Amino acid sequence: QLKERPDTVKQFETLGWFLIGEGKLEEYLEEFPGDQELTREGRDRLKDAKECLCKAIGEDARRLGVHLDSWILLAKLHYALGNYTDTLKYYEKAQIESLEEKHLPARSLKIMAEAFAIKGLCYEKLPLQTTSKHKLLDRENKLIKCFELAGDLTLLYLQEADRSSRRGHTQSTLSLQSVGTTSGTSSSPVPPANTEHKLGPVLEAALLKAPQLNLRAGRVDKAVARFRAMLSAEETRSTGAVRMR
């Protein structure tokens, strides 16, 4: 319906393409959430989603506040395709590392949590290009940083989504120190009350990976501190199983 509005309102068409592209991508990932082998049908479906999202980049998208979201979703799409180098390039375009204090709605918290988690997973999956101990340590620290940010954002997203559902608000934002985006964020409503906020494999990895990597590196105290921080955070309905593990 948005796409069919008069041509004089170009922004509505851009928003329509963005929403369709996001819907196609998330629908595919809902059906195939893991690392299953990509089929021809799956590749075609992701191609359709990519074509839609590529139409949601530019000045109209920037004015709407979905320009950044489009880059981040395209990175997520390339991760699903197994193109890990391209995924990292899209995150560079989105400039997710340029952090400042922002007011983020719950939906944007989720997008950013997934972005940092996927970025860390890409670093893990790409082959090592060096044997230098210094560079390997730097890579390990980058990995841990990505998953720490992703874990913090995941907890904030679930807490805020739960609060918003209980209050029945269409949107609620919070001030987030040292984690955020460089431009406008989407203002789409959070899910309605009684909606289950599924973690999924990416956000579950976001919560568990940082302490696991610290354990692997022999930093037991840091791993314990990370687990303790997660367990002492405000509990939500969606984190019960992960907390029990």
Side-chain angles (χ1 to χ4, degrees):
Q1 289 174 341
L2 285 169
K3 281 172 27 185
E4 292 167 3
R5 292 197 181 194
D7 291 339
T8 53
V9 193
K10 180 72 174 173
Q11 286 187 11
F12 288 120
E13 183 180 354
T14 300
L15 181 59
W17 284 119
F18 171 80
L19 294 170
I20 292 170
E22 183 183 34
K24 286 177 179 289
L25 173 61
E26 296 300 337
E27 184 180 51
Y28 173 82
L29 295 174
E30 182 89 7
E31 289 183 44
F32 305 100
D35 290 329
Q36 294 99 328
E37 186 177 347
L38 191 63
T39 64
R40 188 172 194 175
E41 180 198 353
R43 195 173 292 277
D44 288 342
R45 288 173 64 182
L46 290 173
K47 182 182 177 182
D48 289 343
K50 181 180 178 181
E51 288 176 356
C52 295
L53 290 170
C54 284
K55 294 177 182 177
I57 293 170
E59 283 306 309
D60 288 324
R62 195 183 298 277
R63 284 192 290 270
L64 282 166
V66 298
H67 183 76
L68 176 68
D69 290 33
S70 295
W71 288 124
I72 292 174
L73 288 172
L74 281 166
K76 187 177 179 181
L77 186 147
H78 277 277
Y79 177 76
L81 286 168
N83 301 332
Y84 307 127
T85 301
D86 289 338
T87 300
L88 294 175
K89 287 178 181 177
Y90 275 100
Y91 284 139
E92 284 179 18
K93 290 179 181 180
Q95 298 181 318
I96 63 171
E97 295 291 349
S98 301
L99 307 178
E100 59 184 36
E101 184 176 333
K102 283 285 182 179
H103 292 270
L104 296 178
R107 177 183 177 281
S108 292
L109 286 171
K110 181 183 180 184
I111 287 174
M112 292 301 294
E114 288 180 337
F116 280 107
I118 290 172
K119 186 172 183 179
L121 291 169
C122 285
Y123 280 138
E124 274 196 319
K125 290 176 182 292
L126 287 171
L128 294 172
Q129 302 291 334
T130 180
T131 56
S132 164
K133 287 186 177 179
H134 176 74
K135 289 183 177 179
L136 289 173
L137 180 61
D138 183 57
R139 178 180 177 274
E140 190 82 7
N141 289 334
K142 280 184 179 179
L143 270 173
I144 292 172
K145 180 67 173 175
C146 281
F147 288 121
E148 284 179 347
L149 283 168
D152 290 345
L153 285 164
T154 298
L155 289 172
L156 283 170
Y157 154 66
L158 293 170
Q159 290 163 6
E160 188 62 14
D162 268 14
R163 289 191 204 109
S164 299
S165 294
R166 288 196 296 269
R167 288 194 299 260
H169 289 178
T170 57
Q171 177 180 314
S172 180
T173 61
L174 55 94
S175 178
L176 182 61
Q177 288 284 355
S178 76
V179 180
T181 61
T182 56
S183 60
T185 56
S186 167
S187 59
S188 300
V190 297
N194 301 321
T195 297
E196 285 294 325
H197 307 294
K198 296 179 182 178
L199 270 178
V202 171
L203 293 186
E204 187 166 322
L207 289 175
L208 297 175
K209 274 284 187 179
Q212 289 171 352
L213 288 169
N214 275 314
L215 281 173
R216 191 173 74 188
R219 303 170 187 145
V220 179
D221 288 347
K222 284 190 175 182
V224 171
R226 193 71 199 169
F227 277 130
R228 182 176 288 122
M230 184 177 75
L231 290 169
S232 63
E234 178 186 340
E235 187 165 8
T236 69
R237 288 168 294 175
S238 306
T239 54
V242 176
R243 294 165 74 94
M244 185 64 73
R245 282 170 56 190

